[in-house]
Amino acid sequence: MLSSPARARPSAEGDAGVTDASQGEDGPVGGGRGGRPPAADETLHLRVDALRADETMQLRVPTPSGQAAPSKEPTPAGGRADRRRDARSADRKRRGGRLLGPLAPYARRIAPYARRLKPVYPRPGRPGWRRWIPSWRQWIGGLLASFGMLGAFLVTAYAMTDIPSDINAYATQQDNVYFWSDGTPMARTGWVQRQAMPLEDIPQDVRWAVLAAENESFYSDPGISLKGISRALFRTVGEGDTEGGSTITQQYVKNVYLTQNQTVSRKFTEAMIALKLDNKMSKDEILEGYLNTSWFGRGTYGIQRAAQAYYGKDVDKLDVSEAAMLASLLKGAGLYDPTLGKANHARAVERWSWILDRMVKIGKLSKQERAKYTTFPEPLKTNPLYDTGEQSDYLVELASSYAKKAAHLTDKQFDLGGYQIYTTFDRKREKAVTDAVTKAREKARDDTPEAARDGHYGAASVAADGRILAVYGGPDHRKQGYNESNATTVPAGTAFLPFVYAAGLEHGVHKTRSGPATPVGPDSVYDGDDGVPVTTPEGPYWDRSGKKVAAHNDGGTSYGKITLREALAKSVNTPFMQLGMDTGLDKVRDTAVASGLLRSSMGPQVPGLSLGTSTPSAIRMANGYATFAAGGNHTEPYSVVRITRNGAPVALNTPRPKRAVGATVAEQVTEALADSFRTAHPDAAAGRSGVSGKAGGTDKDTAAWYVGTADSVSTAIVVYRIDLAKSLEPLPLQGLAGPAHSVPYALWSAATGLG
């Protein structure tokens, strides 16, 4: 190596002269060409005089003795891959030099400071544990770098976050609207009840009650609250819990664009969208959207529906006290709806008072006004929008169930709302049957108060084409958990005889087990005496107790030999019990099911089946009689004719008629029922055609029926008693159906317009 500066002096030939700079005891070292080569541990000293600018100095070092001269060709250090890698590395260095060359002067200036910030561990000159603690310069450098990286991340995230074009489905959730058959609105219901209101129609007191409760700095904040977000993140990440920390803008974003999941990623996305939304929309637009999309409990979204659900009034009629109560629900209706329990009530009162005080603090309510509101504004016990207790609730129940089935809608789809359901229900017929039953109930409470306490009245009118035109489901939908018109609870009794008659006419009878069926007609004669034993082709029919089964007529009356048509007109039991056995109880059951009765409601396949041990509902009994009125074609009962969603039609599977019994059989059954109506009610039948009907009773007097057809509409009325608090077993009527079971017919005539 060179131990000291050397001077180079040009020679006469132009080459740089090389001389020794010092001499040892042994003479010159590495001086001229005649000197010995330097040893490995010796130092070569050169004196080089100054060179001219255009001259080049070359230095040749002799190869030590005993060593071979180096080859002029480079020896490969490896294979082809190594050579390529070395070439690429050299190329990168050249490019890096060209790019970073201009920055070199600045790098040299910064280098001393950078070396100071570079942590050296352990730190020299520090005793013990202090050797491992960074200096204050390093702390500052680290914090500045962290803030810089965080700022860059947030700026990038903000730039890359877009306001979603598709909004949350529940943000557009609406009511489902039901219409009468004449097209007029009948009911407006749904899990979600929303009616959007312009902000200008929402009073200032209502707005500021919400702002005082949720975000008093709404009009001045940038759309997010750093303090609130930090608190929420700490709770979510640190303790596995969640806590609100959102501005109204953030809550609106969550309602409209995101899910309700409490996660860090959702919270971060919410904040980014809120910042952008705050720059894109005005504060009033955001507040309007928030007030129309927020959940208030009781199935309601939006301040308008909340006002109606809790106070039965529109939002513009609320006072500041009621507005404060509704604002408290935004913290969680499940915790602050005061009607849900004592704890809820206490929380609601406390938050209501706090909100009013908060309004005073922010200058939106004077102390004098605040002093007026000392009594908590108790809301309605139940939502009048969803559950009115009226008959329309039973109609909605039937229509919604049918709509989902016929339109293949899931509960989730249907609950999103926006559907317009056009029903088959006739407003005039519904009013007629409802008024008639209501009067009958009131009269029963006066005449037979004990029996009336457990009294039930089911009623249904079904057209020949299957349309359900009217039902009576009960006195109050809010108090009664089932629809009396659709309950399969009590036996049909002798109102079931037309199905036995139709089965015999359709299939004939078998007097021998293996022989062919023998046709029967309306004029076929049977024994109408009371107590006639029931027979089979092999002989008398024995029950499980070992007794012969005999049929009995109402009141024990005997009629002798009687035609089937006359037996049906006079409701003589014994011929039909035997006719059922002769036809085959399986044929009787199948005919009743084909006509409209549910198979699940059919009684045991024993002789008593023919006398009405089955338990059809009023709707199904009316539908069964409508099959005879339709010439033997049965159409399943339905309650919806058309469905649209926001004006667009929804595909609906409307039932089609199917042949249940022959047209001739249906006509013969109808003629016998017309005879029955004329025989029992000659005055009402005078001057009227196309009217038929039959009363029905049970052997234990647990139900009274009247089922008949007028103007191609079949109506079924049933009166019965059940103590719902004890069991579903029918109880004796005890006069509830009136003298000679006159009440069912009176209700039927009122419902059909004959009364």
Side-chain angles (χ1 to χ4, degrees):
M1 67 178 178
L2 302 179
S3 61
S4 63
R7 289 179 301 168
R9 183 176 63 249
S11 64
E13 291 81 12
D15 292 336
V18 180
T19 62
D20 60 333
S22 62
Q23 292 184 359
E25 296 176 356
D26 298 329
V29 179
R33 295 182 180 178
R36 63 177 177 83
D41 58 349
E42 289 182 331
T43 302
L44 177 65
H45 297 273
L46 299 178
R47 176 183 297 166
V48 182
D49 293 331
L51 297 174
R52 290 202 308 269
D54 58 349
E55 291 182 332
T56 303
M57 182 183 74
Q58 295 182 345
L59 178 65
R60 177 180 297 170
V61 178
T63 303
S65 60
Q67 296 185 12
S71 174
K72 294 183 180 180
E73 295 295 330
T75 302
R80 181 179 298 175
D82 294 332
R83 293 196 297 273
R84 287 179 178 175
R85 185 167 56 252
D86 294 341
R88 286 195 297 268
S89 177
D91 184 58
R92 282 196 297 271
K93 289 180 180 179
R94 286 193 299 272
R95 289 199 303 268
R98 287 195 299 268
L99 293 174
L100 300 178
L103 300 178
Y106 303 100
R108 285 194 294 271
R109 294 178 185 177
I110 298 173
Y113 302 99
R115 282 194 294 270
R116 293 183 182 181
L117 291 175
K118 180 181 179 181
V120 179
Y121 291 96
R123 292 180 64 198
R126 297 290 189 278
W129 58 270
R130 292 183 178 85
R131 299 162 56 198
W132 303 97
I133 302 301
S135 69
W136 64 270
R137 294 185 182 88
Q138 293 165 348
W139 279 114
I140 293 175
L143 287 175
L144 291 175
S146 299
F147 281 122
M149 293 175 64
L150 178 61
F153 171 74
L154 293 177
V155 169
T156 304
Y158 179 85
M160 296 181 65
T161 300
D162 294 323
I163 298 175
S165 57
D166 55 331
I167 63 178
N168 190 322
Y170 282 92
T172 56
Q173 209 163 5
Q174 306 170 54
D175 299 351
N176 290 323
V177 184
Y178 297 79
F179 297 89
W180 293 101
S181 59
D182 61 4
T184 57
M186 180 181 75
R188 185 184 294 269
T189 64
W191 287 106
V192 171
Q193 299 173 10
R194 174 183 287 113
Q195 180 183 347
M197 293 292 290
L199 189 65
E200 61 188 19
D201 293 339
I202 301 174
Q204 288 283 348
D205 283 344
V206 177
R207 301 185 212 176
W208 279 106
V210 172
L211 292 175
E214 295 295 310
N215 185 192
E216 64 184 54
S217 63
F218 169 72
Y219 279 101
S220 60
D221 65 39
I224 64 172
S225 169
L226 295 178
K227 180 180 178 181
I229 291 175
S230 300
R231 183 174 66 249
L233 289 176
F234 173 76
R235 296 280 293 177
T236 303
V237 178
E239 300 184 19
D241 197 358
T242 61
E243 180 175 308
S246 302
T247 64
I248 278 180
T249 306
Q250 289 175 260
Q251 293 181 52
Y252 176 61
V253 167
K254 179 178 65 175
N255 291 343
V256 176
Y257 298 110
L258 304 175
T259 68
Q260 303 298 314
N261 296 334
Q262 294 283 4
T263 61
V264 174
S265 61
R266 200 274 295 158
K267 199 74 177 175
F268 180 78
T269 305
E270 172 193 298
M272 291 296 103
I273 297 176
L275 283 171
K276 281 208 165 180
L277 204 67
D278 194 75
N279 292 327
K280 181 179 180 180
M281 297 174 63
S282 69
K283 288 290 188 178
D284 282 348
E285 288 175 326
I286 294 173
L287 181 59
E288 179 182 308
Y290 173 75
L291 291 174
N292 284 317
T293 57
S294 294
W295 167 253
F296 285 87
R298 294 192 178 184
T300 61
Y301 280 79
I303 191 70
Q304 166 70 352
R305 282 293 190 228
Q308 295 172 339
Y310 286 90
Y311 290 106
K313 60 178 72 172
D314 290 334
V315 65
D316 60 354
K317 302 297 190 300
L318 293 174
D319 61 35
V320 67
S321 179
E322 294 165 336
M325 201 293 292
L326 293 179
S328 70
L329 299 171
L330 292 168
K331 195 171 179 65
L335 294 173
Y336 290 90
D337 184 345
T339 63
L340 299 181
K342 291 182 179 179
N344 272 36
H345 192 278
R347 280 190 291 266
V349 171
E350 181 181 0
R351 186 157 178 81
W352 161 80
S353 179
W354 177 85
I355 292 172
L356 291 176
D357 292 340
R358 196 74 177 170
M359 292 182 70
V360 173
K361 183 178 180 180
I362 63 177
K364 298 303 177 181
L365 185 67
S366 67
K367 292 183 179 180
Q368 292 77 14
E369 264 194 299
R370 171 67 180 92
K372 297 177 184 178
Y373 303 111
T374 57
T375 303
F376 181 71
E378 298 289 348
L380 301 173
K381 297 296 183 185
T382 57
N383 184 353
L385 296 173
Y386 179 68
D387 204 354
T388 64
E390 299 175 356
Q391 286 303 303
S392 60
D393 293 340
Y394 293 104
L395 305 183
V396 165
E397 186 178 66
L398 288 172
S400 62
S401 177
Y402 179 81
K404 287 185 282 188
K405 179 180 178 181
H408 304 290
L409 298 172
T410 65
D411 289 340
K412 181 179 180 180
Q413 289 174 317
F414 196 73
D415 290 346
L416 287 176
Y419 292 97
Q420 296 79 47
I421 298 101
Y422 296 86
T423 73
T424 60
F425 303 122
D426 186 294
R427 183 200 294 266
K428 293 181 179 179
R429 287 182 180 273
E430 184 63 34
K431 186 177 187 304
V433 70
T434 300
D435 290 346
V437 176
T438 300
K439 291 178 182 178
R441 282 186 180 277
E442 293 174 352
K443 190 174 187 306
R445 282 194 290 267
D446 295 335
D447 297 344
T448 56
E450 184 177 349
R453 186 175 61 250
D454 303 319
H456 299 275
Y457 301 74
S461 293
V462 180
D465 59 3
R467 290 175 295 125
I468 304 175
L469 302 182
V471 301
Y472 180 85
D476 190 336
H477 186 265
R478 295 167 300 186
K479 299 178 180 178
Q480 183 164 284
Y482 76 103
N483 187 334
E484 292 175 354
S485 70
N486 204 29
T488 55
T489 307
V490 295
T494 52
F496 187 81
L497 297 184
F499 301 107
V500 184
Y501 184 40
L505 297 176
E506 182 76 15
H507 299 286
V509 297
H510 291 267
K511 294 299 183 180
T512 61
R513 187 66 65 185
S514 58
T518 302
V520 295
D523 296 327
S524 298
V525 177
Y526 269 75
D527 192 343
D529 286 343
D530 183 63
V532 175
V534 176
T535 61
T536 68
E538 290 77 24
Y541 183 91
W542 303 80
D543 63 17
R544 292 183 178 181
S545 64
K547 295 181 180 180
K548 291 182 181 180
V549 175
H552 295 279
N553 295 322
D554 187 23
T557 305
S558 292
Y559 294 86
K561 298 298 181 179
I562 190 172
T563 64
L564 290 176
R565 177 172 177 169
E566 186 180 2
L568 183 61
K570 295 181 178 180
S571 196
V572 182
N573 295 341
T574 52
F576 290 99
M577 199 166 186
Q578 186 58 53
L579 177 64
M581 295 298 294
D582 295 343
T583 303
L585 296 177
D586 58 336
K587 298 291 193 303
V588 172
R589 180 198 59 205
D590 293 344
T591 300
V593 170
S595 298
L597 274 61
L598 295 177
R599 188 172 295 275
S600 60
S601 70
M602 300 304 296
Q605 199 163 306
V606 295
L609 174 68
S610 297
L611 297 186
T613 57
S614 300
T615 57
S617 66
I619 291 176
R620 286 293 173 170
M621 279 295 282
N623 185 230
Y625 275 54
T627 298
F628 303 134
N633 286 320
H634 167 250
T635 305
E636 277 290 290
Y638 63 98
S639 55
V640 178
V641 293
R642 183 164 63 97
I643 300 177
T644 61
R645 189 167 196 267
N646 298 327
V650 176
L652 186 69
N653 290 336
T654 303
R656 302 297 181 190
K658 295 181 180 180
R659 175 63 61 183
V661 295
T664 301
V665 170
E667 183 180 358
Q668 291 170 340
V669 173
T670 300
E671 289 173 351
L673 289 173
D675 291 346
S676 175
F677 176 71
R678 285 191 295 267
T679 300
H681 309 285
D683 295 337
R688 288 295 303 265
S689 61
V691 181
S692 61
K694 186 183 185 314
T698 60
D699 59 344
K700 295 181 181 179
D701 195 32
T702 56
W705 290 81
Y706 197 90
V707 189
T709 303
D711 301 324
S712 298
V713 175
S714 297
T715 300
I717 306 290
V718 59
V719 180
Y720 58 99
R721 289 182 64 236
I722 287 180
D723 186 350
L724 296 175
K726 294 182 179 179
S727 71
L728 293 179
E729 287 297 320
L731 302 173
L733 288 171
Q734 295 182 352
L736 184 66
H741 290 181
S742 59
V743 170
Y745 172 74
L747 295 175
W748 180 87
S749 60
T752 56
L754 296 176

